[in-house]
Amino acid sequence: MLQLVYISSATARETQGLDQILATSRRNNARDRVTGLLFADGVRFLQALEGEAAAVEAAFERIREDPRHRAVVVLSRREIATREFGPWDMAARTADADGDAFVAQVERLVAGASPAVRGTFAGLATVRRAA
Ligand SMILES: Cc1cc2nc3c(=O)[nH]c(=O)nc-3n(C[C@H](O)[C@H](O)[C@H](O)COP(=O)(O)O)c2cc1C
């Protein structure tokens, strides 16, 4: 199985766009048995995708061409024996969300991930809280 983690910058800040991304992602990922986590704070996206290598690569090919974000940078790409994120889920922070609650939510979602991946997600959530 392949786990791919990337970070990117959002090109639009409206949350309506996020709803559409989520609806499409849930549908496609269920079909392709891709799971993982999407972190969105209105500025950046951080996403982990897990599944059969071909399915993850195909999803990522579509995602990286998506004009709703830019500067897509792969942070890690590695073989995993079992899924580290469990079912596909999503941590989103709205403008008025409580920063501490958001950090706690992200930490819960990444609890099963490797230390490096966990640190990446937790670090970004904490930075955004401070910003
Ligand atoms: C930040 C971000 C994350 C996305 N995550 C996924 C995803 O996990 N799975 C997926 O199929 N599409 C995802 N998309 C949407 C894809 O870029 C693309 O629009 C979609 O896969 C096209 O699916 P369709 O041909 O069924 O309309 C994401 C887009 C963005 C901007």
Side-chain angles (χ1 to χ4, degrees), residues 56-119:
V56 169
E57 298 286 9
F60 186 57
E61 283 298 308
R62 296 194 306 269
I63 294 168
R64 77 181 319 161
E65 301 298 327
D66 197 308
R68 289 171 288 192
H69 62 172
R70 60 185 179 79
V72 178
V73 176
V74 174
L75 297 179
S76 94
R77 182 194 289 267
R78 65 187 186 97
E79 279 297 316
I80 47 168
T82 56
R83 294 176 196 260
E84 296 182 349
F85 287 93
W88 197 79
D89 216 331
M90 150 86 196
R93 183 179 180 189
T94 51
D96 57 350
D98 170 35
D100 289 336
F102 181 59
V103 171
Q105 183 196 15
V106 170
E107 283 173 355
R108 220 166 30 245
L109 290 171
V110 302
S114 68
V117 168
R118 213 162 57 218

Side-chain angles (χ1 to χ4, degrees), residues 6 21 24-25 27-29 45 47 62-63 66 68:
Y6 74 83
I21 290 172
T24 309
S25 300
R27 189 186 65 232
N28 289 345
N29 294 358
F45 292 111
Q47 187 171 28
R62 296 194 306 269
I63 294 168
D66 197 308
R68 289 171 288 192

